[in-house]
Amino acid sequence: MGDLALLLLAAGSSSRMRGGDKLLEEVDGTPLLRRQALAGKAAGLTVVVTLPLDRPLRTQSVEELHIWCVAVPDAQDGMSASIRRGVAALPATTETVIILPADMPEIGLDELTQMRRAVEAAPNQVLRGATSDGRVGHPVVFPARCFGALKALQGDVGAKPVLKEEQVVPIVLTGEAAV
């Protein structure tokens, strides 16, 4: 298996927070964005974070972690802008990417390790976190063959167009973590 990266999508506006920033809210005593980046590093993943230009505190929360920070000047275009820019910025040696919205506090080290093991067992598959009752959610794993399509995404639909073209293998995570 080649290099595996975690792409944390953190360029959203937190519009439902009424002025607050959910990615800076503390979970287990640590700002959520920093916690997710640390979990990725602890799972042995190369961590890439997409960040909006207008939220410098997000950048400050992760800047000394030695991760890849990617500016998303068109963040208002939605999740696909983050995916496009994040995938384009992956290190050249990346063969697989785990994409995770950074605002999912129930996804942590255990779940990222579980996804890493699933990638090792099925390195060329599209994998997706799921609940035991079959609901799919996050994280989603894409092998390098999908990178071109991910870099071409448009609109605020995330990676749905790419997922429609692939056979997706669900990976059951603990409880409701995937959703």
Side-chain angles (χ1 to χ4, degrees):
M1 184 186 82
D3 287 353
L4 179 56
L6 172 64
L7 174 56
L8 285 173
L9 305 178
S13 64
S14 286
S15 58
R16 293 184 302 270
M17 289 293 286
R18 301 176 196 204
D21 190 336
K22 62 186 166 187
L23 296 181
L24 298 177
E25 292 293 320
E26 290 199 0
V27 176
D28 300 328
T30 304
L32 179 57
L33 177 56
R34 182 180 181 82
R35 179 181 174 271
Q36 300 303 72
L38 288 169
K41 287 184 66 141
L45 307 172
T46 298
V47 179
V48 177
V49 179
T50 59
L51 296 158
L53 299 177
D54 64 345
R55 301 281 179 150
L57 294 177
R58 287 186 192 173
T59 302
Q60 289 174 17
S61 76
V62 297
E63 63 188 353
E64 85 288 350
L65 296 181
H66 304 291
I67 61 174
W68 300 66
C69 292
V70 179
V72 183
D74 52 349
Q76 73 282 354
D77 292 347
M79 190 182 292
S80 55
S82 287
I83 294 171
R84 271 195 320 270
R85 292 194 181 272
V87 171
L90 292 172
T93 56
T94 304
E95 292 184 14
T96 308
V97 64
I98 299 173
I99 298 179
L100 177 65
D103 63 353
M104 298 191 69
E106 291 189 36
I107 303 284
L109 174 59
D110 292 343
E111 293 75 19
L112 292 174
T113 300
Q114 184 178 352
M115 294 304 287
R116 179 185 183 94
R117 288 185 183 130
V119 170
E120 291 168 352
N124 204 32
Q125 292 292 312
V126 175
L127 310 172
R128 190 166 188 184
T131 61
S132 61
D133 63 2
R135 290 175 291 148
V136 293
H138 297 283
V140 183
V141 174
F142 293 97
R145 67 175 156 57
C146 298
F147 290 3
L150 292 168
K151 289 188 272 189
L153 289 170
Q154 296 294 320
D156 193 15
V157 295
K160 288 177 187 169
V162 180
L163 290 170
K164 286 181 184 177
E165 300 298 320
E166 293 290 330
Q167 180 178 356
V168 179
V169 177
I171 304 299
V172 176
L173 302 176
T174 305
E176 300 283 304
V179 295

